Each structure stands twice: as C-alpha cells, then as structure tokens.
Amino acid sequence: MNCRQVSVVPTIHMSKSTTVICAFPRSHFIFSQRRGARHRVTMGTSSSSYAPKTVYLDVDGKMQKVIFSRYCSPCDIRELLCSSSNIARNTAIRLVDSEGALVSIDPTMPTNTPNSQYKVMPQSTGQVGDKEDMFQNVLSQVAEQFSRAFRINELKTEVTNRLAMLEKRVELEGLKMVEIEKCKNDLRKLRDEMTSKGGGRVTCGCKYSFTEDGKKLSPRRDVPNYPKYTLSQETIEALKKPTFDVWHWEHNEMLSCLEYMYHDLGLVKEFNMNPITLKRWLLGIQENYRNNPFHNFRHCFCVSQMMYGMIHLCNLKERLTMTDMCILMTAAVCHDLDHPGYNNTYQINAHTELAVRYNDISPLENHHCAVAFQIISMPECNIFANIETEAFKHLRQAIITLILATDMARHGEILDSFKQNVDNFDFTNHKHVTCLKLVLIKCCDISNEVRPTEVAEPWLDCLLEEYFMQSDREKSEGLPVAPFMDRDKVTKPTAQIGFIKFVLIPMFETVMKLFPQIEEIMVQPLRDSRDHYEELKQIDDAMTEPLPT
C-alpha cells in the first residue's frame, strides 16, 4: 500500500488548542462494504483488529489527535505525522515520547494519552544516523514494492471482479433511473398538493371508493394489456433463489414472472384457472399498487418471488397442500395493495378514513384485504371462479389471515406462537401449518437484507425516503414522529442494526430449526448484513468521537 492510497481527512478543529487528523487506507473502506463476500475482512465489534489507532502529538504547544488504520504502512504513517506537524513531506523525522525516548513509527507503535503526548522532530542532515535512517527507509520502500509486485495476480483478479460488478450496476442503472424519476415526480405532486392546501391533512385516498351500501366501484383506469415474455432457463432457475435481482426487470417482465410461478407450482391446473383470467387478475393487481418509494408493485413482486424461492428451497411442495401453496402465493401478491405510503401509526394518529373505517385495528392490512377481494370479485379477474363455494370461503379466510399477519404490531405474538410448535412440528397438524404460513409471509415481507448488498441497499434508500416523507408530514401536522423515521436523527447503520439483530435474525433462525437448509442461503447473509452495518457505525463513531477533557 503506497502513500497515494491513504485518504487524509481534512483537519477538524475541535477547540482552540486541539485538532484531529485521520488516515485510513482506501481499500479498508472498499472491503468493509463488501458484505456477502466470503473472503472479506470484517471489523465486527469494537475489539476487532479493524479498530483505528489513535496517538496524541504536541505540535508547538498544541495537542493534535491523529487517527490511522492498523493497515497503514510505515510510509503512510510518516507522511501523516509530517503533515500533522507542518513538516515538509519526505523529511527524515523521529518520534519521541514525553521522556525523550524514541518511538517506532509503524502500525504497531504504542498508543499514548493526552497527558503523555509524542513529539515529531526532524532529524538534522549530514549525520551518520540520518543516512542510516534514509537507507533503511529506502529499503522499506523497495521491500514494499516487491511485496506489491508479488500480489499482482491477486490484484488483477480483484480489479476484474470489481469491473464486472460495476458493468452490471451500470447496465441496471438505466432501468432504475426510470423508477427513480417516477417516484420523484409522484413526491413532487404530493408536496405541491399539500402546499396548495395550506399544509392541512390530506385524506389518504384509495384507488377503490366505497359507497355507503358497501358496493365497490371500478378501478380509476382501464387495465392495459402486457406482452407475453418467454423466460430463459437461466431466469427460471434464478427465480427460485433469494439472490434474484429484482431491480433488473420492468413491470411487464415481472408480470410474466408471476404468471410463470402460478403455472410452475401447478396452481392454474389445480384450481382450474382460466389463463386469460390469470393475466387480467395480475394486471388488476399491478394497477392497484401505488408509485410509493417503497410500498409499490416492485415490492409486491419482491415478496412474491421470495415466497416462491422459499417454497422451492424448503421443499414445501412435498410437505404442504396445493391449497396452502395457493394461499401463500396469493397472500404475498396481494399483501400491500393500494398502500398509501403512510403506516398504521400515521393513519391512527391522523384519524384518516381508513383508521375510522377499521376502528384503528390494522387499518392498512384490512384495506389490503378489501381491495384484494374487490379485484377478485370482478368476473374478468376472478381466478377462483371455477372452484366450489366452500373451497373459496376457505381460501378467502386463509388469505385474509396471512395478510393481516404482516402488521408488525403482531410480530411478537406470531413468532412466539411458532416457537412453541417448532421443536415438535407436525405437518399434519392444521394449527402448526397455519403458524408456519404466518411466519413465512412475515419472513418474505421483510426479507430484503437476505438478498445481496447491491439488491438490498437500494431498498433501504427507498424505505428511508418513504419514512422521511411521512415524518415531514407528521411534523407539519403536529403529530408524533418516530425517531427511526426522522431524517434529522436516523442513519443507515442506526436504522438497520437493531432491526436485523432483534427482528430478522431471531425470526429466520427459528425457521432454520425446521428447515436447516436456509442457514447458508438466508441466515448467513443476515449475519453478514449485521456485521456490515456495525462496521459502518464503528467508523462513524470513530470519526465523531469527542476528545477527552
């Protein structure tokens, strides 16, 4: 690692007599963000070797705090010390402690305290010791160059891999930009609407209106057609895995993928679905997801694809009935229909139409169910038109039960119920199977961090944007604001660490007891994600650590 690879953070004035200068190798930041790679070095907890080292210097009577990575080379550290002491680069220097003893300048150098500051002193030229130091410095640089030369193959492989990943990201960027622009336009329209109404509360409108006698009205727009896509064998195999990149597909392609899932699982044949009706139903579903930053049709597809993947990964086709398969998939497809972009807490606090209608009891989830079955009740979209009345009643009740389970207010209750059964689970026991289905849809609904970093992180950005949009509105209306939704308080690490550690990992590890095969593919990525955000938080904390007084 040469000196040009060191990122020196500009001096930060903490007080009249104290400054902080930091250096970290750029490769440290690159590798710390590559969650999911088995060869990466992780920082872990504060005791990990990745923790930065801090020394305190006396520079003309002022204390300077210098922070550097343990993976900086001696050359990096010497340059940093020169910079912090206003000494020209490449000047031969020596470091002495408060008693005048020499201190080695390398990553293993002992740390000190503000009460025992080191001094950086330039060595006088022309002395034998200076020549020896200069010779030793040259030897160190030559040795470092040789070491770097022997690592050329490793570096070539790393660069090739990074270029391939960057090419893929660039290829996908065009598709993502379309979605991002749509979201931005919708946000602008919403803000303009709120401004024009003087900041007053805006009723969370629904695509379906309800008359006083409870009859439904037609959707606001006609349902368009979508072309049929032939899926490649590569896509068919990728659909079965949690690593599937959901950002790579347009809406029409996602519709074709969902259509394929219903055919592949045998649901079309088992329930005698008209294939044309299935297409119309899927179009009606897509039409009734709003263009929210997070709760949109792509999220619907993401959850449904994860459910399809878990069915294959856990071999559920051999353990559950076709009716159970249909309940799981249909609930996943419908679980967030017509989501307005503001959560239950807002609905209840703002006394919206939805909260009043459902008596503050899971207003959003109840609304998702209502819209789902209003779509199915239209003859041209009724995929269950050819089954018996009693069978439909059973399907309807079970789908409603699963969608209502996605209310995070019921998380503890549902997980505790499943934990009581998992050690002695019986697939012939109706109660046990119902608990499993409730946990499966919960897992799929909040499974983004199971996916690779390049797929998961954009979802976090979308979620935070939706949170910030809600918190801004709550502030303008004088409503309570949750700290995890406040743009002035939340960061990515603080938003994710607690959720992953105390919600995601315990739930997926409980499911792992019944299906051990998910550990490597689903549970380990969650652990890697936790470590990734803890590393980021540790770096943030090191950069903002207050100086001792």
Side-chain angles (χ1 to χ4, degrees):
M1 184 179 303
N2 58 36
C3 295
R4 289 188 297 274
Q5 291 177 300
V6 175
S7 298
V8 179
V9 178
T11 301
I12 305 171
H13 292 276
M14 305 299 292
S15 68
K16 293 183 178 179
S17 61
T18 306
T19 59
V20 180
I21 296 180
C22 310
F24 295 89
R26 287 178 183 148
S27 59
H28 163 70
F29 290 98
I30 294 172
F31 280 103
S32 70
Q33 295 183 38
R34 292 189 59 203
R35 169 179 75 77
R38 292 291 180 266
H39 61 276
R40 74 176 179 82
V41 181
T42 58
M43 188 179 294
T45 61
S46 59
S47 63
S48 170
S49 62
Y50 252 112
K53 177 168 283 192
T54 302
V55 296
Y56 297 87
L57 303 179
D58 180 355
V59 180
D60 299 328
K62 297 181 180 180
M63 183 177 72
Q64 284 205 5
K65 178 180 178 182
V66 178
I67 304 173
F68 60 89
S69 167
R70 296 173 185 266
Y71 289 87
C72 286
S73 68
C75 177
D76 297 334
I77 299 173
R78 287 177 182 274
E79 184 173 334
L80 180 63
L81 293 176
C82 286
S83 175
S84 64
S85 303
N86 300 319
I87 298 175
R89 291 177 57 186
N90 300 324
T91 302
I93 60 171
R94 54 196 178 108
L95 189 65
V96 298
D97 62 16
S98 56
E99 297 178 0
L102 288 174
V103 180
S104 62
I105 303 178
D106 58 60
T108 64
M109 64 191 295
T111 57
N112 60 348
T113 67
N115 297 325
S116 58
Q117 301 169 21
Y118 294 156
K119 286 188 177 181
V120 179
M121 304 176 63
Q123 297 185 6
S124 57
T125 58
Q127 295 183 2
V128 176
D130 295 339
K131 293 180 180 179
E132 290 179 353
D133 285 345
M134 185 179 300
F135 181 67
Q136 191 66 34
N137 197 16
V138 171
L139 284 179
S140 297
Q141 293 185 27
V142 170
E144 188 175 342
Q145 293 293 335
F146 270 106
S147 174
R148 191 178 303 112
F150 284 118
R151 292 179 59 245
I152 191 67
N153 289 333
E154 178 184 343
L155 291 172
K156 282 183 178 179
T157 301
E158 181 183 340
V159 169
T160 301
N161 291 339
R162 290 185 187 173
L163 283 175
M165 185 172 65
L166 285 173
E167 287 173 357
K168 181 179 179 183
R169 294 294 291 272
V170 170
E171 179 183 347
L172 300 182
E173 199 63 30
L175 295 175
K176 292 181 184 177
M177 284 301 297
V178 175
E179 295 298 321
I180 291 171
E181 286 303 317
K182 288 181 180 178
C183 291
K184 286 182 178 178
N185 288 335
D186 290 336
L187 287 174
R188 289 191 198 102
K189 290 178 182 178
L190 179 61
R191 290 189 179 111
D192 291 343
E193 180 183 352
M194 292 176 65
T195 302
S196 65
K197 295 190 177 183
R201 292 179 184 170
V202 180
T203 301
C204 289
C206 308
K207 288 197 172 186
Y208 276 88
S209 299
F210 293 82
T211 57
E212 291 182 357
D213 59 359
K215 292 182 180 179
K216 67 182 183 307
L217 299 179
S218 298
R220 294 193 300 199
R221 291 177 288 174
D222 293 334
V223 177
N225 292 321
Y226 70 94
K228 173 68 176 178
Y229 288 87
T230 301
L231 305 183
S232 67
Q233 190 59 38
E234 180 182 1
T235 299
I236 289 172
E237 291 304 316
L239 272 174
K240 301 175 182 178
K241 300 175 182 178
T243 53
F244 187 84
D245 190 348
V246 296
W247 294 105
H248 190 63
W249 309 90
E250 297 176 345
H251 280 189
N252 290 342
E253 295 170 319
M254 290 188 282
L255 287 167
S256 288
C257 288
L258 289 171
E259 185 180 356
Y260 171 81
M261 294 175 196
Y262 270 73
H263 281 280
D264 180 61
L265 292 174
L267 302 179
V268 175
K269 181 178 179 180
E270 176 70 18
F271 296 94
N272 195 19
M273 296 179 187
N274 184 323
I276 303 301
T277 303
L278 176 63
K279 291 172 69 76
R280 288 179 183 145
W281 175 69
L282 288 172
L283 285 163
I285 292 294
Q286 182 214 338
E287 174 66 11
N288 284 278
Y289 273 91
R290 302 192 192 188
N291 292 323
N292 298 314
F294 184 90
H295 291 100
N296 49 41
F297 180 67
R298 193 176 298 277
H299 170 66
C300 154
F301 176 74
C302 188
V303 175
S304 303
Q305 185 273 323
M306 185 64 73
M307 181 66 77
Y308 178 74
M310 291 195 77
I311 288 173
H312 283 280
L313 181 61
C314 302
N315 198 23
L316 295 180
K317 290 180 70 174
E318 303 297 325
R319 300 186 176 191
L320 300 180
T321 66
M322 292 296 290
T323 298
D324 291 325
M325 298 295 99
C326 186
I327 292 167
L328 287 170
M329 287 301 302
T330 306
V333 169
C334 299
H335 83 284
D336 270 333
L337 273 167
D338 198 37
H339 195 296
Y342 300 91
N343 66 16
N344 280 331
T345 300
Y346 174 82
Q347 304 296 326
I348 294 169
N349 289 339
H351 307 295
T352 65
E353 179 187 355
L354 288 179
V356 173
R357 181 185 305 147
Y358 295 109
N359 303 310
D360 294 349
I361 301 173
S362 302
L364 288 181
E365 289 71 23
N366 274 293
H367 180 60
H368 305 326
C369 295
V371 176
F373 283 96
Q374 290 212 2
I375 296 172
I376 289 174
S377 69
M378 294 188 290
E380 67 271 24
C381 297
N382 188 1
I383 57 174
F384 301 127
N386 297 323
I387 66 174
E388 297 294 331
T389 302
E390 288 303 313
F392 174 75
K393 286 183 179 178
H394 172 66
L395 278 170
R396 169 177 158 78
Q397 188 55 56
I399 291 170
I400 290 172
T401 300
L402 262 64
I403 294 176
L404 292 178
T406 60
D407 185 352
M408 285 302 294
R410 299 183 57 203
H411 176 81
E413 160 205 341
I414 293 171
L415 185 58
D416 288 343
S417 179
F418 181 70
K419 285 179 178 179
Q420 293 174 10
N421 301 321
V422 70
D423 292 330
N424 300 295
F425 196 88
D426 181 4
F427 280 94
T428 64
N429 186 310
H430 174 73
K431 179 181 177 182
H432 289 194
V433 171
T434 299
C435 286
L436 172 62
K437 288 187 291 187
L438 296 179
V439 171
L440 285 176
I441 194 168
K442 285 181 58 59
C443 286
C444 296
D445 189 26
I446 54 177
S447 62
N448 286 328
E449 290 301 326
V450 169
R451 300 180 187 273
T453 303
E454 62 269 21
V455 181
E457 198 153 85
W459 278 120
L460 176 57
D461 293 331
C462 292
L463 182 62
L464 290 178
E465 178 60 27
E466 197 165 294
Y467 280 173
F468 296 158
M469 185 172 69
Q470 175 174 319
S471 63
D472 290 346
R473 183 167 172 176
E474 287 170 332
K475 290 175 183 177
S476 70
E477 296 177 2
L479 298 175
V481 178
F484 68 90
M485 302 179 79
D486 192 337
R487 67 172 72 245
D488 298 324
K489 298 179 181 179
V490 71
T491 64
K492 284 187 180 181
T494 59
Q496 289 298 88
I497 291 173
F499 185 69
I500 295 172
K501 288 175 67 173
F502 303 115
V503 177
L504 291 178
I505 291 179
M507 181 168 65
F508 277 84
E509 285 182 341
T510 304
V511 175
M512 186 180 71
K513 292 181 180 179
L514 192 59
F515 305 109
Q517 61 267 39
I518 75 168
E519 180 172 12
E520 180 180 355
I521 300 177
M522 304 186 82
V523 179
Q524 188 57 45
L526 288 175
R527 296 167 180 161
D528 292 341
S529 180
R530 172 200 60 198
D531 295 343
H532 167 67
Y533 285 110
E534 286 183 338
E535 289 169 6
L536 293 182
K537 186 175 186 302
Q538 191 170 10
I539 292 172
D540 288 346
D541 292 345
M543 299 299 291
T544 58
E545 179 186 1
L547 290 172
T549 56

